[in-house]
Amino acid sequence: MSATVIGLALLAAILHASWNAFLRTGADRLWTVTVMSFSSTVVAIPLAISSAFPAPHAWPYVVLSACLQVGYTMFLVAAYRNGELGQVYPIVRGSVPLLVTLGGFLLANQHLAIPQILGVGLVAGGIMSLALGKGRTDITSILHSLAAGAIIAAYATVDAIGVRQAGSATAYTAWVLLIYGALLPAAFIAFRGRLVVDVRSAETLTLGGGVFALLAYGLVVAAFALGPAGPITAMRETSVIFAALIGWLFLGEVLTPRRIAACAIVALGAICLGYQP
């Protein structure tokens, strides 16, 4: 991978961990993530207008990605209900390359290289360390985290194919976020019955979190357009380290040596899983 692709993936990792911190601190996390989607939608509108439409055969990928991201959002909100950022986030992100690799092995009969086998063990061990023992994550949060990770693996695959079909990473990203921005408020109304937002009193940080989410997603899509999906996805999972640090510095979460080691193991395992012989 080029230095540009590596830089895009690492910056996306930092921004992704940051917007999860915004979500974790919200009192009503479903409302918080919905408001966050408003700011990203506003930014996406001029991008969609100024860009050419995605190619016709890319639209199924655009719509499917948006739908999957709504599902991911719902499970992530549920995971943070009882779990800390420094525990839930590594489980969500670490499970992505793990599930992709195991799925390829079990369903597509793909051969696993030694680094990938090592990666499976490292990620599984890191997740188990976060899920078991003193200070373990709530079991319900673990299940929701794993479900969110499975959906991320699905939409990352869809995006890796769709962005190449679209002809423009900017147009693809903008339209995915526009459709997501319409579906998420609809889902909120379906769960809560009504959506009341006073834009004048909306928290600036919450709206800023939406911009962070937009940038994080856009940078990854741009990286997919320039380099191989596997290593990019793996490098993005280094965000688990940033999440642990943000949880400690800004959310008052305990950063024990065990949690640091578990997050580092998950990140290293994810990098190994991204190995391509």
Side-chain angles (χ1 to χ4, degrees):
M1 292 189 297
S2 68
T4 299
V5 173
I6 293 173
L8 288 172
L10 289 177
L11 182 55
I14 296 172
L15 292 174
H16 198 281
S18 297
W19 81 253
N20 270 257
F22 286 119
L23 176 59
R24 177 65 181 83
T25 56
D28 183 343
R29 296 183 182 91
L30 183 56
W31 184 90
T32 297
V33 77
T34 303
V35 172
M36 287 170 60
S37 76
F38 292 164
S39 57
S40 61
T41 299
V42 169
V43 175
I45 289 174
L47 294 177
I49 293 174
S50 62
S51 303
F53 281 106
H57 44 277
W59 281 101
Y61 297 98
V62 171
V63 175
L64 179 57
S65 178
C67 292
L68 288 171
Q69 291 189 52
V70 171
Y72 152 66
T73 299
M74 294 300 176
F75 279 107
L76 187 64
V77 167
Y80 282 133
R81 188 174 297 124
N82 298 307
E84 293 185 348
L85 176 68
Q87 293 176 308
V88 168
Y89 191 86
I91 294 175
V92 173
R93 302 308 306 181
S95 64
V96 176
L98 177 63
L99 292 172
V100 169
T101 301
L102 291 179
F105 175 71
L106 296 173
L107 302 177
N109 197 30
Q110 294 180 354
H111 175 72
L112 298 184
I114 292 178
Q116 292 174 314
I117 295 173
L118 176 62
V120 169
L122 288 172
V123 172
I127 290 175
M128 287 179 64
S129 179
L130 291 166
L132 302 174
K134 185 178 180 180
R136 63 183 180 276
T137 308
D138 178 83
I139 184 63
T140 304
S141 291
I142 294 173
L143 294 176
H144 287 144
S145 300
L146 292 174
I151 298 175
I152 292 172
Y155 83 67
T157 302
V158 170
D159 287 342
I161 300 171
V163 70
R164 295 177 186 273
Q165 299 288 331
S168 169
T170 301
Y172 181 88
T173 303
W175 281 101
V176 167
L177 289 172
L178 284 176
I179 296 173
Y180 169 81
L183 293 177
L184 186 58
F188 185 100
I189 293 171
F191 280 102
R192 300 287 180 83
R194 59 182 299 196
L195 174 59
V196 178
V197 179
D198 184 352
V199 178
R200 294 171 300 177
S201 63
E203 296 181 14
T204 302
L205 286 178
T206 302
L207 295 172
V211 176
F212 273 38
L214 169 67
L215 291 174
Y217 178 67
L219 288 172
V220 169
V221 172
F224 281 151
L226 298 174
I232 290 170
T233 301
M235 186 164 293
R236 183 177 58 178
E237 308 318 329
T238 58
S239 58
V240 301
I241 302 294
F242 301 119
L245 292 174
I246 290 171
W248 172 55
L249 292 172
F250 301 105
L251 305 183
E253 296 181 1
V254 178
L255 190 61
T256 63
R258 176 176 178 170
R259 184 176 294 187
I260 296 173
C263 291
I265 289 171
V266 170
L268 178 59
I271 293 172
C272 290
L273 287 170
Y275 170 79
Q276 291 184 336

